[in-house]
Amino acid sequence: MTGPRINAERLLGRLRTLGNIGRDEGRLTRLAASDSDRAGRDAVVGWMHDAGLEVMVDRIGNLFGIWHAGDANSAPLMLGSHIDTVIDAGIYDGCYGVVGGLEVVQTLREAGVKPDRPVVIAAFTNEEGVRYAPDMMGSLVYAGGLGVAEALATVGTDGTVLGEELARIGYAGPHEPGFLRPHAYLELHIEQGPILDREGVAIGAVENLQGISWQRVTIDGVANHAGTTPMAMRRDAGQAAARVVTFLRDLISQTNAPTVATVGCMAFEPNAINVIPSRAVFTVDLRDPDEDRLRAAEATLARYLESLADAEGVTVVVERLAQFDPVTFDPAIVAAIEAAAAENGLRSRRMTSGAGHDAQMIARLCPAAMIFVPSLKGISHNPREHTQAADLQAGANVLLDVIRKLTHVASGEARSFSQQNSKLGFAYDDSFTKEGI
């Protein structure tokens, strides 16, 4: 497609700048509502002002840069992601979506392009869920899936309260989450998986997102001497926990389904080399793009835990930490992504996202989709996370072209998109708040 192209030097420079905020002895850690998060937010706010955007913040700390374009009474097109990170992170996860969206808007403004509706850049709070649970919290609250008061009262892993921390860093805004109801939502992201890199494909048109089930399992047995207690007479919580790990691996390996299972955290008590564990606490992460298969895996695990308690003489307690249903993205937007890739001379493929994203939550409010670019060897949540500059540039230009299609009244793509919304029964609140903070 002919037309304006993004400023690659500005995009990459901002990603590097943000990637240096929150480094401690070389490690990048920018947890939600921390001092480093405040510094990252301050940088993004400065760039939003540089792009001529109005900045607004809601009560859960979601940050918005608003381009008051087109009809002020029309629902805005929203772009975004997040800037909080995991511990010892890479520089692209989430940040690419925020900085890339901002770069696209700034490029369009500088080129004199006039979309038919407002465009909003969103940076959602606590997507990673490292300090405060659940993950994707800011977008979940924004979509109405979690009450704002409940979210603000969340106690973090360090004993802090989210609402108090947002106020401390100056990002507890006055606006109610959901105050802008989007016309549509697009999120630009690195893949966080190996498929695009392995296949040499430049653009992923993400058509659906896996459902996610998080549980915490606590197994209680009896502590005893490791040398004097016969194996047959033990009530070993550690042994029981290990059986769950192997059970999950065997369960998933026996099918051709895309279900995945992970035990990511595990702790024993009393955690001594010569004492049989009296308690084991671990997490189970189950994911599948099909809701029925995901529920079946949960049920199978529940039955196994019940039988394990009897077999090992232990007690088992399960706590649900989070549950998100699979999401199917808007087919018209997915098709627009494929078309924009082709017009830019780029190979694309449709794909499922194995990771959770803010788009998963905002899809409850409006048609949504995601654009993926390759991540070298599929590495993410790791300082070795890397995407080639050419791929970052290409993804942002595809996003730019999709935005032009979705915000231009005269385009056939925009009319098709509107018809698709009507068929799918989406309702919009076209009120547009211009108050600032």
Side-chain angles (χ1 to χ4, degrees), residues 117-132:
R117 63 180 62 251
V119 182
V120 177
I121 308 301
F124 292 106
T125 297
N126 190 43
E127 193 271 353
E128 295 292 3
V130 175
R131 192 182 185 197
Y132 302 99

Side-chain angles (χ1 to χ4, degrees), residues 280-301:
V281 181
F282 57 95
T283 57
V284 177
D285 179 322
L286 293 170
R287 304 191 187 206
D288 196 290
D290 181 84
E291 184 174 359
D292 290 340
R293 282 199 305 262
L294 183 60
R295 299 293 171 261
E298 289 181 313
T300 302
L301 173 60

Side-chain angles (χ1 to χ4, degrees), residues 41 55-66 78 120-126 137-144 146 148 151-152 162-163 166-167 169-181 362 365 433 435-437:
R41 288 166 175 262
V55 177
M56 302 175 76
V57 182
D58 68 12
R59 291 179 59 205
I60 197 64
N62 295 323
L63 173 64
F64 303 95
I66 305 168
M78 184 176 286
V120 177
I121 308 301
F124 292 106
T125 297
N126 190 43
M137 181 187 284
S139 53
L140 177 63
V141 172
Y142 198 82
L146 177 65
V148 64
L152 291 172
L162 175 59
L166 286 172
I169 68 171
Y171 281 93
H175 302 286
E176 289 298 323
F179 72 102
L180 296 174
R181 190 174 180 88
I362 304 304
L365 297 177
T433 304
E435 297 174 29
I437 60 170

Side-chain angles (χ1 to χ4, degrees), residues 93-154:
D93 176 10
C95 301
Y96 178 47
V98 175
V99 175
L102 179 59
E103 174 56 37
V104 164
V105 166
Q106 191 162 358
T107 296
L108 292 173
R109 283 178 61 87
E110 291 170 350
V113 175
K114 299 185 184 300
D116 67 341
R117 63 180 62 251
V119 182
V120 177
I121 308 301
F124 292 106
T125 297
N126 190 43
E127 193 271 353
E128 295 292 3
V130 175
R131 192 182 185 197
Y132 302 99
D135 59 345
M136 299 174 283
M137 181 187 284
S139 53
L140 177 63
V141 172
Y142 198 82
L146 177 65
V148 64
E150 181 181 353
L152 291 172
T154 302

Side-chain angles (χ1 to χ4, degrees), residues 38-81:
R38 171 173 53 194
R41 288 166 175 262
D42 288 348
V44 171
V45 167
W47 296 331
M48 287 177 170
H49 285 312
D50 291 344
L53 308 185
E54 180 184 8
V55 177
M56 302 175 76
V57 182
D58 68 12
R59 291 179 59 205
I60 197 64
N62 295 323
L63 173 64
F64 303 95
I66 305 168
W67 179 12
H68 293 291
D71 181 0
N73 293 316
S74 295
L77 176 64
M78 184 176 286
L79 321 173
S81 194

